[in-house]
Short mmCIF file of all heavy atoms in Angstrom, two decimals:
data_model
loop_
_atom_site.label_atom_id
_atom_site.label_comp_id
_atom_site.label_asym_id
_atom_site.label_seq_id
_atom_site.Cartn_x
_atom_site.Cartn_y
_atom_site.Cartn_z
N GLY A 135 -16.48 29.34 10.20
CA GLY A 135 -15.60 28.35 10.68
C GLY A 135 -15.20 27.33 9.63
O GLY A 135 -14.52 26.31 9.84
N TYR A 136 -15.53 27.61 8.34
CA TYR A 136 -15.28 26.60 7.30
C TYR A 136 -13.82 26.29 7.20
O TYR A 136 -13.50 25.11 6.91
CB TYR A 136 -15.93 26.99 5.89
CG TYR A 136 -14.97 27.83 5.10
CD1 TYR A 136 -14.08 27.22 4.14
CD2 TYR A 136 -14.90 29.18 5.16
CE1 TYR A 136 -13.24 27.90 3.48
CE2 TYR A 136 -13.99 29.94 4.42
CZ TYR A 136 -13.18 29.32 3.54
OH TYR A 136 -12.30 29.97 2.84
N PRO A 137 -12.84 27.18 7.44
CA PRO A 137 -11.41 26.72 7.29
C PRO A 137 -11.09 25.66 8.31
O PRO A 137 -10.26 24.80 8.05
CB PRO A 137 -10.62 28.09 7.53
CG PRO A 137 -11.60 29.14 7.38
CD PRO A 137 -12.97 28.60 7.74
N VAL A 138 -11.66 25.77 9.52
CA VAL A 138 -11.43 24.73 10.50
C VAL A 138 -12.05 23.41 10.12
O VAL A 138 -11.39 22.43 10.22
CB VAL A 138 -12.02 25.20 11.88
CG1 VAL A 138 -11.58 24.20 12.94
CG2 VAL A 138 -11.75 26.62 12.24
N LEU A 139 -13.24 23.53 9.45
CA LEU A 139 -13.86 22.25 8.98
C LEU A 139 -13.06 21.58 7.90
O LEU A 139 -12.75 20.40 7.78
CB LEU A 139 -15.28 22.58 8.40
CG LEU A 139 -16.08 21.34 7.95
CD1 LEU A 139 -16.20 20.27 8.88
CD2 LEU A 139 -17.48 21.94 7.32
N MET A 140 -12.43 22.48 7.01
CA MET A 140 -11.61 21.97 5.89
C MET A 140 -10.39 21.38 6.49
O MET A 140 -9.92 20.32 5.97
CB MET A 140 -11.14 23.27 5.11
CG MET A 140 -10.61 22.94 3.76
SD MET A 140 -9.95 24.43 3.06
CE MET A 140 -8.57 24.79 3.97
N THR A 141 -9.84 21.99 7.60
CA THR A 141 -8.60 21.35 8.33
C THR A 141 -9.01 20.04 8.89
O THR A 141 -8.22 19.06 8.82
CB THR A 141 -8.19 22.38 9.41
OG1 THR A 141 -7.92 23.61 8.76
CG2 THR A 141 -6.93 21.83 10.05
N ALA A 142 -10.22 19.86 9.51
CA ALA A 142 -10.58 18.59 10.12
C ALA A 142 -10.80 17.53 8.87
O ALA A 142 -10.48 16.40 9.15
CB ALA A 142 -11.94 18.82 10.83
N ASP A 143 -11.29 18.00 7.73
CA ASP A 143 -11.34 17.12 6.61
C ASP A 143 -9.93 16.49 6.21
O ASP A 143 -9.88 15.32 5.96
CB ASP A 143 -11.82 17.81 5.30
CG ASP A 143 -13.18 18.20 5.36
OD1 ASP A 143 -14.02 17.40 5.96
OD2 ASP A 143 -13.62 19.27 4.92
N ILE A 144 -8.91 17.30 6.36
CA ILE A 144 -7.57 16.88 6.03
C ILE A 144 -6.99 15.94 7.19
O ILE A 144 -6.44 14.94 6.89
CB ILE A 144 -6.74 18.10 5.81
CG1 ILE A 144 -7.17 18.91 4.65
CG2 ILE A 144 -5.17 17.64 5.52
CD1 ILE A 144 -6.59 20.27 4.42
N LEU A 145 -7.15 16.58 8.44
CA LEU A 145 -6.49 15.87 9.50
C LEU A 145 -7.12 14.58 9.99
O LEU A 145 -6.46 13.79 10.51
CB LEU A 145 -6.36 16.88 10.71
CG LEU A 145 -5.55 18.20 10.32
CD1 LEU A 145 -5.28 18.90 11.73
CD2 LEU A 145 -4.27 17.93 9.60
N ALA A 146 -8.47 14.50 9.71
CA ALA A 146 -9.07 13.23 10.15
C ALA A 146 -8.41 12.01 9.39
O ALA A 146 -8.34 10.88 10.02
CB ALA A 146 -10.53 13.29 9.81
N PHE A 147 -7.71 12.25 8.27
CA PHE A 147 -7.12 11.34 7.51
C PHE A 147 -5.55 11.49 7.49
O PHE A 147 -4.86 10.81 6.79
CB PHE A 147 -7.63 11.19 6.05
CG PHE A 147 -9.15 10.96 6.13
CD1 PHE A 147 -10.08 12.03 6.03
CD2 PHE A 147 -9.62 9.69 6.43
CE1 PHE A 147 -11.36 11.87 6.06
CE2 PHE A 147 -11.01 9.48 6.53
CZ PHE A 147 -11.91 10.55 6.38
N LYS A 148 -5.11 12.32 8.33
CA LYS A 148 -3.73 12.65 8.49
C LYS A 148 -3.02 12.67 7.12
O LYS A 148 -2.02 12.02 6.82
CB LYS A 148 -3.00 11.55 9.38
CG LYS A 148 -3.53 11.65 10.72
CD LYS A 148 -2.57 10.92 11.73
CE LYS A 148 -3.23 9.62 12.12
NZ LYS A 148 -2.53 8.92 13.06
N ALA A 149 -3.69 13.45 6.16
CA ALA A 149 -3.30 13.56 4.81
C ALA A 149 -1.98 14.28 4.73
O ALA A 149 -1.77 15.27 5.42
CB ALA A 149 -4.31 14.24 3.96
N ASN A 150 -1.07 13.83 3.90
CA ASN A 150 0.22 14.45 3.71
C ASN A 150 0.19 15.41 2.51
O ASN A 150 1.01 16.37 2.48
CB ASN A 150 1.34 13.31 3.38
CG ASN A 150 1.28 12.26 4.28
OD1 ASN A 150 0.60 11.22 4.00
ND2 ASN A 150 1.99 12.41 5.43
N LEU A 151 -0.65 15.07 1.48
CA LEU A 151 -0.74 15.96 0.32
C LEU A 151 -2.06 16.46 -0.05
O LEU A 151 -3.13 15.53 0.16
CB LEU A 151 -0.21 15.03 -0.87
CG LEU A 151 1.29 14.67 -0.78
CD1 LEU A 151 1.52 13.68 -1.85
CD2 LEU A 151 2.18 15.94 -0.99
N ILE A 152 -2.28 17.68 -0.43
CA ILE A 152 -3.41 18.23 -0.90
C ILE A 152 -3.21 18.82 -2.29
O ILE A 152 -2.39 19.57 -2.50
CB ILE A 152 -3.99 19.33 0.05
CG1 ILE A 152 -3.95 18.86 1.54
CG2 ILE A 152 -5.35 19.83 -0.34
CD1 ILE A 152 -4.90 17.75 1.80
N PRO A 153 -4.00 18.30 -3.27
CA PRO A 153 -3.81 18.88 -4.68
C PRO A 153 -4.22 20.36 -4.69
O PRO A 153 -5.37 20.61 -4.26
CB PRO A 153 -4.82 18.02 -5.53
CG PRO A 153 -5.35 16.88 -4.65
CD PRO A 153 -5.08 17.24 -3.21
N VAL A 154 -3.42 21.19 -5.17
CA VAL A 154 -3.75 22.59 -5.30
C VAL A 154 -3.08 23.19 -6.54
O VAL A 154 -2.13 22.70 -7.04
CB VAL A 154 -3.30 23.48 -4.07
CG1 VAL A 154 -4.10 23.21 -2.83
CG2 VAL A 154 -1.84 23.30 -3.82
N GLY A 155 -3.75 24.17 -7.06
CA GLY A 155 -3.09 24.93 -8.18
C GLY A 155 -2.07 25.80 -7.60
O GLY A 155 -2.07 26.20 -6.38
N LYS A 156 -1.20 26.35 -8.44
CA LYS A 156 -0.14 27.29 -7.98
C LYS A 156 -0.62 28.40 -7.12
O LYS A 156 0.00 28.89 -6.17
CB LYS A 156 0.66 27.79 -9.20
CG LYS A 156 1.88 26.85 -9.53
CD LYS A 156 3.09 27.13 -8.65
CE LYS A 156 4.17 26.21 -8.98
NZ LYS A 156 5.06 25.85 -7.90
N ASP A 157 -1.81 28.91 -7.56
CA ASP A 157 -2.37 30.11 -6.87
C ASP A 157 -3.12 29.79 -5.57
O ASP A 157 -3.64 30.72 -4.95
CB ASP A 157 -3.21 30.97 -7.96
CG ASP A 157 -4.30 29.97 -8.40
OD1 ASP A 157 -4.16 28.76 -8.43
OD2 ASP A 157 -5.36 30.42 -8.82
N GLN A 158 -3.18 28.59 -5.25
CA GLN A 158 -4.07 28.26 -4.12
C GLN A 158 -3.21 27.82 -2.87
O GLN A 158 -3.84 27.39 -1.89
CB GLN A 158 -5.07 27.13 -4.45
CG GLN A 158 -5.99 27.43 -5.65
CD GLN A 158 -6.57 26.12 -6.20
OE1 GLN A 158 -5.87 25.15 -6.25
NE2 GLN A 158 -7.80 26.22 -6.45
N GLU A 159 -1.94 27.96 -2.88
CA GLU A 159 -1.20 27.44 -1.87
C GLU A 159 -1.61 28.00 -0.54
O GLU A 159 -1.50 27.29 0.54
CB GLU A 159 0.37 27.67 -2.17
CG GLU A 159 1.31 26.88 -1.22
CD GLU A 159 2.68 27.01 -1.56
OE1 GLU A 159 3.01 27.81 -2.52
OE2 GLU A 159 3.53 26.48 -0.85
N SER A 160 -1.96 29.21 -0.59
CA SER A 160 -2.30 30.00 0.82
C SER A 160 -3.47 29.24 1.53
O SER A 160 -3.57 29.26 2.70
CB SER A 160 -2.60 31.39 0.58
OG SER A 160 -3.72 31.47 -0.25
N HIS A 161 -4.36 28.54 0.73
CA HIS A 161 -5.49 27.88 1.35
C HIS A 161 -5.02 26.86 2.40
O HIS A 161 -5.71 26.53 3.32
CB HIS A 161 -6.34 27.21 0.24
CG HIS A 161 -6.95 28.11 -0.66
ND1 HIS A 161 -7.90 27.69 -1.53
CD2 HIS A 161 -6.77 29.46 -0.90
CE1 HIS A 161 -8.33 28.64 -2.29
NE2 HIS A 161 -7.56 29.69 -1.97
N LEU A 162 -3.86 26.26 2.06
CA LEU A 162 -3.42 25.26 2.90
C LEU A 162 -2.63 25.74 4.13
O LEU A 162 -2.53 24.97 5.14
CB LEU A 162 -2.33 24.41 2.10
CG LEU A 162 -2.69 22.96 1.71
CD1 LEU A 162 -1.44 22.23 1.27
CD2 LEU A 162 -3.34 22.22 2.80
N GLU A 163 -2.21 26.92 4.07
CA GLU A 163 -1.46 27.50 5.22
C GLU A 163 -2.26 27.42 6.50
O GLU A 163 -1.57 27.22 7.58
CB GLU A 163 -0.98 28.98 4.82
CG GLU A 163 0.37 29.40 5.26
CD GLU A 163 1.36 28.29 5.40
OE1 GLU A 163 1.74 27.63 4.42
OE2 GLU A 163 1.86 28.10 6.50
N PHE A 164 -3.49 27.63 6.42
CA PHE A 164 -4.43 27.66 7.57
C PHE A 164 -4.30 26.24 8.26
O PHE A 164 -3.98 26.08 9.50
CB PHE A 164 -5.77 27.96 7.17
CG PHE A 164 -6.68 28.08 8.36
CD1 PHE A 164 -6.94 29.27 8.98
CD2 PHE A 164 -7.33 26.97 8.86
CE1 PHE A 164 -7.84 29.39 10.05
CE2 PHE A 164 -8.23 27.01 9.96
CZ PHE A 164 -8.51 28.33 10.53
N ALA A 165 -4.41 25.27 7.52
CA ALA A 165 -4.37 23.87 8.03
C ALA A 165 -3.00 23.60 8.61
O ALA A 165 -2.93 22.98 9.70
CB ALA A 165 -4.70 22.82 6.97
N ARG A 166 -1.88 24.14 7.91
CA ARG A 166 -0.61 23.86 8.51
C ARG A 166 -0.35 24.62 9.79
O ARG A 166 0.22 24.06 10.59
CB ARG A 166 0.47 24.38 7.36
CG ARG A 166 0.43 23.37 6.21
CD ARG A 166 1.01 24.10 4.88
NE ARG A 166 2.38 24.47 5.17
CZ ARG A 166 3.42 23.58 4.86
NH1 ARG A 166 3.15 22.35 4.47
NH2 ARG A 166 4.61 23.97 5.16
N ASP A 167 -0.99 25.77 9.90
CA ASP A 167 -0.81 26.52 11.12
C ASP A 167 -1.38 25.88 12.29
O ASP A 167 -0.99 25.72 13.35
CB ASP A 167 -1.49 27.87 10.94
CG ASP A 167 -0.64 28.83 10.18
OD1 ASP A 167 0.52 28.62 10.03
OD2 ASP A 167 -1.22 29.93 9.72
N ILE A 168 -2.66 25.12 12.02
CA ILE A 168 -3.39 24.48 13.06
C ILE A 168 -2.45 23.22 13.48
O ILE A 168 -2.46 22.85 14.69
CB ILE A 168 -4.77 24.09 12.59
CG1 ILE A 168 -5.64 25.33 12.47
CG2 ILE A 168 -5.42 23.11 13.57
CD1 ILE A 168 -7.06 25.14 12.49
N VAL A 169 -1.90 22.50 12.45
CA VAL A 169 -1.15 21.30 12.79
C VAL A 169 -0.01 21.82 13.72
O VAL A 169 0.25 21.12 14.77
CB VAL A 169 -0.62 20.71 11.50
CG1 VAL A 169 0.50 19.71 11.88
CG2 VAL A 169 -1.67 20.02 10.75
N ARG A 170 0.67 22.91 13.37
CA ARG A 170 1.83 23.30 14.21
C ARG A 170 1.31 23.72 15.59
O ARG A 170 1.92 23.40 16.59
CB ARG A 170 2.55 24.50 13.57
CG ARG A 170 3.37 24.05 12.39
CD ARG A 170 4.22 25.17 11.88
NE ARG A 170 3.54 26.20 11.07
CZ ARG A 170 3.44 26.24 9.78
NH1 ARG A 170 4.20 25.25 9.07
NH2 ARG A 170 2.78 27.05 9.05
#
Side-chain angles (χ1 to χ4, degrees):
Y136 91 89
V138 188
L139 181 56
M140 193 187 74
T141 304
D143 287 323
I144 298 169
L145 299 192
F147 303 98
K148 294 195 254 179
N150 311 93
L151 293 168
I152 307 298
V154 290
K156 272 274 176 212
D157 53 337
Q158 302 164 318
E159 195 178 357
S160 63
H161 296 191
L162 249 195
E163 217 27 63
F164 185 92
R166 291 160 62 85
D167 283 344
I168 292 197
V169 166
R170 286 191 279 263

